[in-house]
Amino acid sequence: MFNPSQADVRRFFCTVYAKSLQQLPMEALETLASHWIALHPEVQADLADLDAALARMGTTPETAPNPFLHLSMHLSISEQCSIDQPPGIRQAVELLSARRQDLHAAHHEVMECLGQMLWQSQRSGRPPDAQAYIEQVRQRATRD
């Protein structure tokens, strides 16, 4: 398993943003990341200066939005859907996306479910409950 540090994640997204601005070739994961970055112009200033991004590690309040975490969650959900892991997540996200008529908006809702699952896991000391996660996404896809 790849287990990047907080600095690695920041370097990755800042590098992808720089490559996209310079229209340089990218690896597949970088191309996917650049797609999500393009949909979030409000975070692009955070990605424009790697040194500043690294210097801010651990200095922002916990309640402040973390653009690196946000983009990482988009990548995680994209990867989950591409390999359907946990099984059923692809269909649940597709249903939610169809219901919202917007994959980006659906991803933001899935992030809430993913965050809830991880929080529950940390709180209880048990492994993440993938079925509860998928069920939360499905419930969002079937309610108004």
Side-chain angles (χ1 to χ4, degrees):
M1 292 281 312
F2 181 60
N3 190 17
S5 69
Q6 187 179 22
D8 293 335
V9 170
R10 288 172 182 245
R11 278 188 199 93
F12 171 77
F13 284 111
C14 290
T15 299
V16 167
Y17 183 60
K19 282 184 172 184
S20 70
L21 291 176
Q22 298 170 34
Q23 298 181 336
L24 296 173
M26 294 186 215
E27 301 290 329
L29 185 61
E30 292 172 328
T31 300
L32 181 58
S34 71
H35 164 77
W36 292 115
I37 290 168
L39 292 175
H40 290 281
E42 73 279 5
V43 306
Q44 292 172 4
D46 293 313
L47 306 177
D49 185 344
L50 174 59
D51 292 334
L54 292 172
R56 281 192 305 272
M57 284 190 325
T59 63
T60 55
E62 286 185 27
T63 56
N66 181 334
F68 301 97
L69 175 60
H70 186 85
L71 293 168
S72 294
M73 290 182 82
H74 272 302
L75 287 182
S76 295
I77 293 164
S78 295
E79 180 67 11
Q80 288 174 355
C81 291
S82 76
I83 63 172
D84 197 29
Q85 186 61 32
I89 192 63
R90 179 187 301 139
Q91 181 188 41
V93 172
E94 286 173 355
L95 289 170
L96 181 58
S97 181
R99 177 80 170 200
R100 300 296 180 252
Q101 297 181 336
D102 183 350
L103 177 63
H104 189 209
H107 260 232
H108 285 183
E109 289 191 55
V110 175
M111 281 182 202
E112 292 178 30
C113 300
L114 179 58
Q116 179 69 21
M117 176 190 66
L118 294 173
W119 180 80
Q120 288 288 349
S121 173
Q122 289 176 341
R123 186 171 178 231
S124 69
R126 288 182 270 212
D129 185 345
Q131 288 309 314
Y133 166 51
I134 293 167
E135 187 53 37
Q136 277 189 338
V137 176
R138 283 188 184 131
Q139 286 176 2
R140 287 173 179 259
T142 58
R143 71 172 194 227
D144 290 326

